[in-house]
Amino acid sequence: MRKRVLYRIEVRVDPAVRRFLLNRFPTTDGAIDLTGSRYYWMVSQMLSRQKVTMPTDVPQKFDMYVSVWIGVTQRDFYHYGWIVADNQQYNFSRIIEAEILNYLCFQVATLTAATGTSRLNAIKAVLDAEQYDDIIKESRLLKHYQRKFKPEEDRVRQIVGHLQNP
């Protein structure tokens, strides 16, 4: 059987995204192996053979992003390329960051509905359990929850209510 070869590319991401990737995916030779995940298609679509010269509108926040190494297949490395433009890195990070925040909000809503604890205590507990307490601020998650997840809260309460009282 042929051994699968992964080539490493460097991508800058938000620290929360870095933690998410390292916690959920295996690493091979220091590179995060996303090849079997649903995120790999985004990685392969970011690749380019040459430095993209189009203007990039990445905010200053991008300067605080951290580097991670992601493994790509040999075919993608030679077919698509090995360079990732800054705006592609920023967009990749923002997509995964939004997923993380939505997942955490769902956890908070479930915890408050199931236990009756306050939203702030649930946020603290969820951030601690998911190991984001030093990366994602409570106020940031609360703001995201109030803006984007408040309408879903009633649906989650209804589901938890049906599970508790069948």
Side-chain angles (χ1 to χ4, degrees), residues 113-136:
T115 63
T117 186
S118 71
R119 191 175 297 134
L120 193 55
N121 287 340
I123 287 174
K124 289 177 185 177
V126 166
L127 287 176
D128 186 45
E130 294 290 331
Q131 300 175 346
Y132 291 116
D133 53 346
D134 58 334
I135 296 174
I136 298 175

Side-chain angles (χ1 to χ4, degrees), residues 7-19 21-22 30-34 39-48 51 58 62-72 77 81-96:
Y7 288 76
R8 294 168 27 138
I9 61 165
E10 185 178 12
V11 177
R12 291 174 54 196
V13 295
D14 187 83
V17 173
R18 179 180 185 273
R19 172 83 44 94
L21 294 174
L22 288 173
I32 300 168
D33 185 2
L34 297 175
Y39 301 111
Y40 186 72
W41 70 270
M42 286 191 288
V43 173
S44 65
Q45 295 303 307
M46 291 190 306
L47 299 174
S48 172
K51 186 73 175 166
V58 292
F62 185 70
D63 295 337
M64 293 182 286
Y65 280 17
V66 294
S67 294
V68 294
W69 292 94
I70 296 178
V72 296
F77 186 82
W82 49 87
I83 298 171
V84 181
D86 289 348
N87 63 338
Q88 296 286 355
Q89 295 176 48
Y90 178 73
N91 291 335
F92 173 73
S93 182
R94 294 288 294 176
I95 289 169
I96 295 179

Side-chain angles (χ1 to χ4, degrees), residues 119-161:
R119 191 175 297 134
L120 193 55
N121 287 340
I123 287 174
K124 289 177 185 177
V126 166
L127 287 176
D128 186 45
E130 294 290 331
Q131 300 175 346
Y132 291 116
D133 53 346
D134 58 334
I135 296 174
I136 298 175
K137 294 179 182 175
E138 296 165 9
S139 59
R140 178 179 175 199
L141 185 58
L142 180 63
K143 184 188 248 181
H144 184 81
Y145 186 93
Q146 289 171 340
R147 285 184 179 171
K148 310 265 178 159
F149 210 77
K150 196 75 167 139
E152 296 291 319
E153 186 175 1
D154 292 333
R155 188 177 64 86
V156 171
R157 287 187 187 281
Q158 214 174 27
I159 291 169
V160 170

